[in-house]
Amino acid sequence: MIDVLLVGGGGREHAIAWKLKQSPRLGKLFIAPGNGGTRLVGENVPIGAMEFEKLANFAEEKKIGLTICTMDDPLVEGIVDFFQSRGLRIWGPSKAAAQLEGSKAFSKLFMQEAGIPTAEFGVFTEYEKALDYVRAKGAPIVVKASGLALGKGVTVCTSMQEAEAALEAIFVKKLFGDSGKQVVIEEFLDGPEISIHAISDGNTYTMFPPSQDHKRALDHDEGKNTGGMGVIAPLPFVDESLTEEIERTIVRPTFEALKKRGILFSGVLYPGLILSKKGPKVLEYNARFGDPETQVYMRLLKTDVLDICEACVDGTLADQPIEWLRGFAANIVLASGGYPDEYKKGVPIGGIEEAEKIDGIVVFHAGTTFDGELKTNGGRVLGVSAIGKTLKEALDTAYEAVEKIQFEGKQFRRDIGTRIFQI
Ligand code: AMP
Ligand code: GLY
């Protein structure tokens, strides 16, 4: 038996906690800080994900056998290196490996050097030079603050005015602080966007089935960019030959180029891709599980997730089979009214039990809290997940359950996964 500390408190963490709970080898499960849902499968610990010292002290005191961190900020700030320097066992990539996500300038230059297909780009630290580049290239064009910006540092600009306003927001208004010190400006890529996940122990890797998140707030990919409003997996339009091409041109060369630089990547590498007319291209790298992608992966995963994480940490992933259910999973995000802009917190939530009575439904909590009553506590509140023999069945079941859940301002997309039926 092994006691586990899971760092984070989003829908992704509830999904991992839910899956860990099914492991026959799990002892105690602690989640720091957790949310209103993780308290149902483990014990929430009131320590923030960036409080490395407190987390490490807790892991020592409680004799935690494995800590798992799959949140971008702590990984980029080096939580794995910190734990390892204290002799504590932790799952996740090192600070050096997480740079792939932490700095878009680093990752673009990395891809350029390694010959990995990505949008044409320039990196700038000066406002005037960035403006000149944008004016020379014309719209549509994409402006990105280099550092982490909670998914808000990217502007897909369809006009010159938008591009100029995006640069002004970064360089003059300094809306993204240090994250905007470097700016990546890149070619607009057209095509379906998909998520790839490959888990690695530094020596070998295994790819998950491909998934598709829906990043915009509103139906038909309108409205602002969000953390992700819904996800499906696997993807009927990604066949074996496309999967092979993604592995050959993106996944394998990424791990090889990291190795060449002396960087061992242990954890999940999650490249976001656009399937462009000229083939799959990398939009960005993440050095962690996606959210809400994890919610569908944990529903489809047959293998014990604790076994997989331990194999990663121990460097024995080559001997660890990873098996998936046949069929499909869908996850619909229920967000607070107004998200990704201003929204209310502390709104009572009802109907989850009713929703979970429907066969195939599990509701994962993201921004929730429990103070005797379950209440909203964030932008993305819940993920309603379903599995089905077909994608349509999974989606229909998920949407049936969505209707059972109520909270004031409930906002969700009604078109998750529907684009597939038009391809
Ligand atoms: P990122 O944080 O880099 O993934 O960007 C956020 C979102 O902006 C992506 O999920 C895409 O939907 C969109 N995006 C980013 N870069 C591009 C690009 N070069 N072309 C088209 N869309 C993009
Ligand atoms: N699915 C969006 C993200 O995890 O970044």
Side-chain angles (χ1 to χ4, degrees):
M1 299 297 266
I2 170 168
D3 293 350
V4 173
L5 170 63
L6 179 62
V7 178
R12 169 183 51 207
E13 283 74 24
H14 186 195
I16 294 173
W18 172 86
K19 185 69 188 167
L20 279 168
K21 188 73 187 160
Q22 295 165 26
S23 170
R25 294 195 304 109
L26 181 78
K28 283 195 187 129
L29 174 60
F30 299 96
I31 308 99
N35 62 33
T38 56
R39 60 181 263 286
L40 303 171
V41 283
E43 189 180 325
N44 287 348
V45 182
I47 305 178
M50 298 304 285
E51 298 182 285
F52 295 177
E53 185 93 41
K54 283 191 189 166
L55 289 169
N57 290 345
F58 180 87
E60 247 165 36
E61 266 166 39
K62 298 283 181 187
K63 299 195 170 45
I64 295 293
L66 179 68
T67 297
I68 298 175
C69 178
T70 182
M71 277 183 80
D72 50 3
D73 280 321
L75 290 171
V76 167
E77 286 303 317
I79 189 171
V80 169
D81 310 60
F82 185 83
F83 266 59
Q84 286 172 345
S85 74
R86 297 262 307 251
L88 295 164
R89 194 156 170 261
I90 183 164
W91 179 93
S94 64
K95 185 172 184 171
Q99 278 180 93
L100 272 188
E101 171 160 12
S103 164
K104 291 192 192 291
F106 172 87
S107 76
K108 292 297 284 191
L109 294 168
F110 171 90
M111 285 187 266
Q112 193 174 46
E113 270 180 47
I116 291 162
T118 187
E120 198 188 297
F121 71 101
V123 179
F124 301 91
T125 49
E126 290 168 48
Y127 185 36
E128 287 301 326
K129 289 200 174 139
L131 269 178
D132 287 347
Y133 184 84
V134 158
R135 286 178 181 147
K137 294 285 178 189
I141 196 156
V142 184
V143 174
K144 302 182 173 189
S146 175
L148 294 179
L150 294 170
K152 292 182 184 160
V154 174
T155 317
V156 177
C157 312
T158 47
S159 68
M160 222 40 213
Q161 285 99 311
E162 251 185 288
E164 288 177 8
L167 288 178
E168 194 186 331
I170 295 176
F171 283 111
V172 183
K173 297 185 183 152
K174 301 198 189 324
L175 285 192
F176 304 104
D178 278 356
S179 286
K181 275 193 174 158
Q182 276 185 312
V183 172
V184 172
I185 303 177
E186 66 180 33
E187 168 199 5
F188 173 78
L189 295 175
D190 202 13
E193 186 174 344
I194 69 166
S195 302
I196 295 296
H197 284 56
I199 193 161
S200 174
D201 61 359
N203 302 307
T204 184
Y205 64 84
T206 306
M207 280 168 69
F208 290 7
S211 60
Q212 184 167 49
D213 188 8
H214 296 63
K215 295 274 179 80
R216 300 294 195 103
L218 307 175
D219 286 2
H220 314 301
D221 291 333
E222 284 175 8
K224 292 197 175 163
N225 237 333
T226 70
M229 294 297 290
V231 61
I232 53 169
L235 304 176
F237 59 92
V238 179
D239 60 14
E240 239 173 75
S241 104
L242 180 54
T243 305
E244 187 278 327
E245 185 181 355
I246 292 167
E247 176 167 13
R248 177 171 42 81
T249 62
I250 293 168
V251 176
R252 195 181 313 139
T254 299
F255 285 121
E256 279 170 3
L258 282 167
K259 222 180 244 176
K260 245 191 223 158
R261 288 164 190 243
I263 299 175
L264 276 190
F265 192 104
S266 176
V268 166
L269 178 76
Y270 149 27
L273 312 186
I274 292 267
L275 303 178
S276 81
K277 289 207 174 71
K278 291 191 206 145
K281 294 194 181 191
V282 178
L283 272 187
E284 59 156 0
Y285 285 115
N286 301 289
R288 55 177 173 81
F289 277 102
D291 188 347
E293 286 86 340
T294 305
Q295 287 80 316
V296 288
Y297 286 137
M298 292 304 120
R299 295 300 311 277
L300 291 172
L301 186 63
K302 275 214 283 201
T303 311
D304 185 336
V305 72
L306 184 55
D307 288 348
I308 299 174
C309 289
E310 291 211 285
C312 251
V313 173
D314 297 341
T316 56
L317 197 61
D319 308 321
Q320 175 63 56
I322 299 184
E323 289 186 279
W324 303 94
L325 288 182
R326 287 164 73 121
F328 295 83
N331 181 74
I332 314 297
V333 171
L334 305 186
S336 297
Y339 173 77
D341 293 325
E342 300 271 294
Y343 53 81
K344 269 203 265 182
K345 285 186 184 178
V347 178
I349 305 170
I352 293 179
E353 274 180 23
E354 281 305 303
E356 289 194 319
K357 278 185 193 150
I358 298 172
D359 208 25
I361 291 290
V362 177
V363 178
F364 294 120
H365 294 228
T368 72
T369 185
F370 185 81
D371 60 3
E373 188 184 7
L374 189 69
K375 292 180 177 160
T376 67
N377 192 38
R380 293 188 293 177
V381 177
L382 298 168
V384 180
S385 75
I387 47 175
K389 284 194 202 72
T390 62
L391 186 56
K392 184 163 184 318
E393 187 184 320
L395 284 164
D396 287 348
T397 310
Y399 276 113
E400 187 190 338
V402 160
E403 295 302 329
K404 307 277 182 209
I405 297 173
Q406 314 91 31
F407 57 89
E408 187 201 318
K410 180 178 94 171
Q411 173 192 325
F412 62 97
R413 278 182 60 162
R414 293 173 191 275
D415 67 338
I416 301 302
T418 52
R419 184 115 31 93
I420 294 215
F421 301 109
Q422 290 147 26
I423 287 177

